[in-house]
Amino acid sequence: MAENKVSSFFKRLVGIEETPAPVAPPTPAAMPPVPEQTPAAPPPVPVPAPVAVPPASQPIPSPPVAEPAALAGPPETSVDYIETLETVLPPEPPVAPVPPTPAAPLAPTIPAASPSAAPAPRQSWLQRLTSGLKRSSDQLTGGITSLFTKKKLDAATLDDLEDLLIQADFGLETTEAVTEALRRDRFNRDISAEDVRQVLSTEVVKVLAPVARPLVIDPGKKPFVILMIGVNGSGKTTTIGKLAAKLRAEGRSVMLAAGDTFRAAAIEQLQVWGQRTGAEVIARPAGSDASGLAFDAVTRARAEGTDVLVIDTAGRLQNRDELMSELEKIIRVIRKVDPEAPHATLLTLDATTGQNALNQVEIFGKRAGVTGLVMTKLDGTARGGILVAIARKFGLPVHFIGVGEGIDDLEPFAAADFAAAIAGKED
């Protein structure tokens, strides 16, 4: 009897309503009186009104079942039920009070940047050029300062100056021009390092001023075809991206042709530059015929009325005849579409190659008809004077120079700025 009551209690405790089966009506003598006992722990439970016993021919209706939310227990509260309940559900032990957790100290508040704080001012081109040519200028100015420190100019000092300028790749002719100017005007007289740097800057300007010519885009030629050539690693593809950015900034429509089909990374690199600059890129899978791609690019650029088409080519050594023959083939194929193209053939020179750049200019000029130069990586060498030697020997236009990897680190060549930067003159 106690087990049935406990089972019924737990079913009602979890909210399961069971439908009791019809019970045969007991005789009045079999029904024990219900003691009116109230347990001490739970609150008083209201005792339902007595149910009238129907005649023997009708079943006794089921007593109302308490709602699960009340959890008040069964209306029967016999001693056996209470003892059984205490055995099944022992009283919970008292819960010890939890001491309050001390609040963690607040981190120091970092004051927000003032909205009026202005960003660092952007360096001018001359400042960036001076910084890029720092390795060359430091070697020159350091050597000149050590040679000319409050002493008179003599033949031995001039010989030391010649060695210094030749080591910086200024070339023999420029070196002789500088030393001759000093011999003529300041020999056996007191001279300072600043005086020597001024003479050097003046002589460099004389050599570079005639070749400092901008790249002119003829609007009557659509597309104006620019062919970029150079040896491996000279920076052709990066230079094309920077040049495309400049042309787009001028409001021109630009198309790029990934003609370096030998190196797969060059194709992807040019496509990235196309996305950055908004220029259309014509590309084929790696290993495709470069001359065929150039033909398709010129044809498409002409059909679309593109202002400028820049064609990349694979890096090739000037002493490899078969590679130079491939370059000549590209030019012949381009001229099948436009007999005047390419309208500009730019040779990209890596300043770190030093005297080898002279040989590159000579061979590429003969085989590909170089019309202008772009000097890159001047910030990576202490021999920036090689540009002066090239200008004096070949007289080719120098259109651009680069002193960094940024998109704006390619600028039109200015002779006076270059001379002042390489001589260590910031004014």
Side-chain angles (χ1 to χ4, degrees), residues 130-131 133-145 164 382 421-424:
T130 302
S131 176
L133 289 171
K134 184 173 178 57
R135 294 182 64 178
S136 295
S137 63
D138 282 354
Q139 178 173 323
L140 279 174
T141 56
I144 290 174
T145 300
L164 181 64
I422 201 169

Short mmCIF file of all heavy atoms in Angstrom, two decimals, residues 130-131 133-145 164 382 421-424:
data_model
loop_
_atom_site.label_atom_id
_atom_site.label_comp_id
_atom_site.label_asym_id
_atom_site.label_seq_id
_atom_site.Cartn_x
_atom_site.Cartn_y
_atom_site.Cartn_z
N THR A 130 65.68 60.96 -51.68
CA THR A 130 66.88 61.08 -50.85
C THR A 130 67.03 59.88 -49.93
O THR A 130 68.13 59.35 -49.75
CB THR A 130 66.82 62.38 -50.02
OG1 THR A 130 66.69 63.50 -50.90
CG2 THR A 130 68.08 62.55 -49.19
N SER A 131 65.90 59.43 -49.36
CA SER A 131 65.94 58.25 -48.50
C SER A 131 66.31 57.01 -49.31
O SER A 131 67.07 56.16 -48.84
CB SER A 131 64.58 58.07 -47.82
OG SER A 131 64.56 56.89 -47.05
N LEU A 133 68.10 56.84 -52.03
CA LEU A 133 69.50 56.90 -52.47
C LEU A 133 70.47 57.05 -51.30
O LEU A 133 71.64 57.40 -51.51
CB LEU A 133 69.68 58.08 -53.43
CG LEU A 133 69.04 57.91 -54.82
CD1 LEU A 133 69.10 59.22 -55.59
CD2 LEU A 133 69.74 56.81 -55.60
N LYS A 134 69.99 56.77 -50.11
CA LYS A 134 70.81 57.01 -48.92
C LYS A 134 72.08 56.16 -48.92
O LYS A 134 73.15 56.63 -48.53
CB LYS A 134 69.99 56.72 -47.66
CG LYS A 134 70.73 57.04 -46.36
CD LYS A 134 69.81 56.90 -45.17
CE LYS A 134 70.55 57.16 -43.87
NZ LYS A 134 71.17 58.50 -43.85
N ARG A 135 71.97 54.92 -49.38
CA ARG A 135 73.16 54.07 -49.38
C ARG A 135 74.23 54.63 -50.31
O ARG A 135 75.42 54.63 -49.98
CB ARG A 135 72.79 52.65 -49.79
CG ARG A 135 71.87 51.96 -48.80
CD ARG A 135 71.55 50.55 -49.22
NE ARG A 135 72.74 49.71 -49.24
CZ ARG A 135 72.73 48.41 -49.52
NH1 ARG A 135 71.58 47.82 -49.83
NH2 ARG A 135 73.84 47.71 -49.52
N SER A 136 73.82 55.11 -51.48
CA SER A 136 74.79 55.68 -52.40
C SER A 136 75.35 56.99 -51.85
O SER A 136 76.57 57.23 -51.88
CB SER A 136 74.13 55.93 -53.76
OG SER A 136 73.76 54.71 -54.37
N SER A 137 74.46 57.85 -51.35
CA SER A 137 74.91 59.15 -50.87
C SER A 137 75.77 59.03 -49.62
O SER A 137 76.74 59.78 -49.45
CB SER A 137 73.72 60.08 -50.62
OG SER A 137 72.89 59.56 -49.60
N ASP A 138 75.42 58.09 -48.74
CA ASP A 138 76.21 57.93 -47.52
C ASP A 138 77.64 57.51 -47.85
O ASP A 138 78.60 58.00 -47.23
CB ASP A 138 75.56 56.89 -46.61
CG ASP A 138 74.36 57.44 -45.86
OD1 ASP A 138 74.11 58.66 -45.96
OD2 ASP A 138 73.66 56.66 -45.19
N GLN A 139 77.76 56.60 -48.82
CA GLN A 139 79.12 56.18 -49.18
C GLN A 139 79.90 57.34 -49.79
O GLN A 139 81.08 57.54 -49.49
CB GLN A 139 79.05 55.02 -50.17
CG GLN A 139 80.43 54.54 -50.64
CD GLN A 139 80.35 53.29 -51.48
OE1 GLN A 139 79.54 52.41 -51.23
NE2 GLN A 139 81.20 53.19 -52.49
N LEU A 140 79.23 58.10 -50.62
CA LEU A 140 79.91 59.25 -51.25
C LEU A 140 80.27 60.33 -50.24
O LEU A 140 81.41 60.78 -50.16
CB LEU A 140 79.03 59.83 -52.34
CG LEU A 140 79.05 59.14 -53.71
CD1 LEU A 140 78.00 59.74 -54.62
CD2 LEU A 140 80.43 59.23 -54.33
N THR A 141 79.25 60.75 -49.48
CA THR A 141 79.49 61.86 -48.55
C THR A 141 80.48 61.47 -47.46
O THR A 141 81.30 62.29 -47.02
CB THR A 141 78.18 62.33 -47.92
OG1 THR A 141 77.54 61.21 -47.28
CG2 THR A 141 77.24 62.89 -48.97
N GLY A 142 80.39 60.19 -47.01
CA GLY A 142 81.36 59.75 -46.00
C GLY A 142 82.78 59.77 -46.54
O GLY A 142 83.71 60.22 -45.86
N GLY A 143 82.94 59.27 -47.78
CA GLY A 143 84.28 59.29 -48.36
C GLY A 143 84.78 60.69 -48.65
O GLY A 143 85.96 61.02 -48.42
N ILE A 144 83.88 61.55 -49.14
CA ILE A 144 84.29 62.93 -49.45
C ILE A 144 84.65 63.68 -48.18
O ILE A 144 85.65 64.43 -48.13
CB ILE A 144 83.16 63.64 -50.21
CG1 ILE A 144 83.02 63.06 -51.61
CG2 ILE A 144 83.41 65.14 -50.29
CD1 ILE A 144 81.83 63.59 -52.39
N THR A 145 83.88 63.47 -47.11
CA THR A 145 84.17 64.17 -45.85
C THR A 145 85.52 63.74 -45.30
O THR A 145 86.28 64.57 -44.76
CB THR A 145 83.06 63.86 -44.83
OG1 THR A 145 81.81 64.31 -45.35
CG2 THR A 145 83.34 64.57 -43.51
N LEU A 164 87.08 57.02 -55.46
CA LEU A 164 85.78 56.99 -54.79
C LEU A 164 84.63 57.05 -55.78
O LEU A 164 83.65 56.29 -55.68
CB LEU A 164 85.70 58.16 -53.80
CG LEU A 164 84.41 58.27 -52.97
CD1 LEU A 164 84.27 57.07 -52.05
CD2 LEU A 164 84.43 59.57 -52.17
N ALA A 382 74.58 50.78 -53.31
CA ALA A 382 75.41 51.95 -53.01
C ALA A 382 76.08 52.47 -54.28
O ALA A 382 76.97 53.32 -54.19
CB ALA A 382 76.48 51.56 -51.98
N ALA A 421 70.07 64.41 -54.46
CA ALA A 421 69.92 63.29 -53.53
C ALA A 421 71.18 62.43 -53.48
O ALA A 421 71.62 62.03 -52.40
CB ALA A 421 68.74 62.44 -53.95
N ILE A 422 71.79 62.15 -54.62
CA ILE A 422 72.95 61.27 -54.62
C ILE A 422 74.18 61.98 -54.07
O ILE A 422 75.11 61.33 -53.54
CB ILE A 422 73.20 60.73 -56.05
CG1 ILE A 422 74.05 59.46 -55.95
CG2 ILE A 422 73.90 61.77 -56.92
CD1 ILE A 422 74.13 58.71 -57.25
N ALA A 423 74.22 63.30 -54.16
CA ALA A 423 75.34 64.05 -53.62
C ALA A 423 75.13 64.40 -52.14
O ALA A 423 75.99 65.05 -51.53
CB ALA A 423 75.58 65.32 -54.42
N GLY A 424 74.00 64.01 -51.58
CA GLY A 424 73.74 64.30 -50.19
C GLY A 424 73.30 65.71 -49.91
O GLY A 424 73.47 66.21 -48.79
#
